[in-house]
Amino acid sequence: MLRHIGAISELAGMRYWSTTHKQWQALIVEAYALTGLEPSQRREDFTPNEMKQGKVLYFEQADNLSGKGIYRMHIAEASVDRVVFDVENVSTLRYLFIPLLHPGEMQSIYFLDRESENVWRYYSIVRTGQNANRLITGNESSAINRAVAFYRSLVGIPTDQEPPGAR
């Protein structure tokens, strides 16, 4: 599970159902791990050995709406039976030149608990800050489809598999 979570480059090409365009589209255009906060510090994906409890890791991804952004991933728990990690933006996310989310205004947390050898329970929460631009708030169907795409990616289901989470 840790190997898959740390494989940031595998997020590139993730697709979701766009409720605006009524078709499957790329959600994550490009993604890569970073050695620090600078986008010029690209590195290979994170290994399970790096993903220890308390560890903070950085990555950059470009999505179809807000372009490139740097994110911080904090490993809250990491054991053979439980993984908890949270992610938040550390750079301002923009649509064209319009700020959508300032640092810390996009936060998510993921809980994974082992049920059996090949079965994990999954729970996640995503929130945007109260000062988030209205361009990205209020579209519940889009938020659902983005969350479903991340879930499917994490568990190995094709992200553009019918049906989408919401139409």
Side-chain angles (χ1 to χ4, degrees):
M1 188 60 68
L2 288 174
R3 189 216 62 79
H4 193 67
I5 294 166
I8 301 299
S9 66
E10 292 179 10
L11 294 173
M14 177 191 301
R15 296 172 59 81
Y16 81 117
W17 179 261
S18 169
T19 56
T20 303
H21 297 99
K22 307 289 188 236
Q23 65 182 3
W24 293 101
Q25 291 188 323
L27 172 57
I28 305 298
V29 179
E30 101 182 287
Y32 45 86
L34 300 172
T35 59
L37 285 169
E38 295 300 319
S40 62
Q41 299 174 329
R42 291 184 186 193
R43 54 156 289 170
E44 296 294 318
D45 288 338
F46 304 118
T47 66
N49 288 338
E50 293 176 280
M51 301 182 72
K52 305 287 186 201
Q53 186 167 317
K55 186 79 172 183
V56 174
L57 305 163
Y58 296 94
F59 64 96
E60 183 172 27
Q61 73 182 29
D63 80 20
N64 70 331
L65 178 61
S66 60
K68 288 187 177 185
I70 297 176
Y71 297 83
R72 176 196 58 80
M73 178 171 35
H74 169 250
I75 310 300
E77 292 183 48
S79 70
V80 295
D81 294 322
R82 182 170 169 85
V83 178
V84 178
F85 65 101
D86 57 88
V87 175
E88 78 175 8
N89 66 305
V90 295
S91 65
T92 298
L93 304 178
R94 302 174 187 279
Y95 177 68
L96 301 174
F97 296 107
I98 302 169
L100 297 175
L101 296 158
H102 295 285
E105 288 190 322
M106 175 64 77
Q107 299 172 333
S108 55
I109 187 165
Y110 303 87
F111 300 87
L112 297 107
D113 292 291
R114 185 185 298 273
E115 282 282 323
S116 63
E117 182 65 28
N118 295 315
V119 177
W120 289 77
R121 279 184 284 136
Y122 170 90
Y123 182 76
S124 72
I125 301 171
V126 177
R127 78 163 204 92
T128 56
Q130 64 184 11
N131 296 320
N133 190 301
R134 294 192 191 276
L135 288 172
I136 65 162
T137 60
N139 189 341
E140 187 175 311
S141 295
S142 180
I144 289 168
N145 288 339
R146 288 169 177 260
V148 167
F150 277 101
Y151 166 76
R152 288 177 175 177
S153 174
L154 185 63
V155 300
I157 298 170
T159 58
D160 58 357
Q161 180 174 304
E162 289 287 343
R167 293 244 188 226

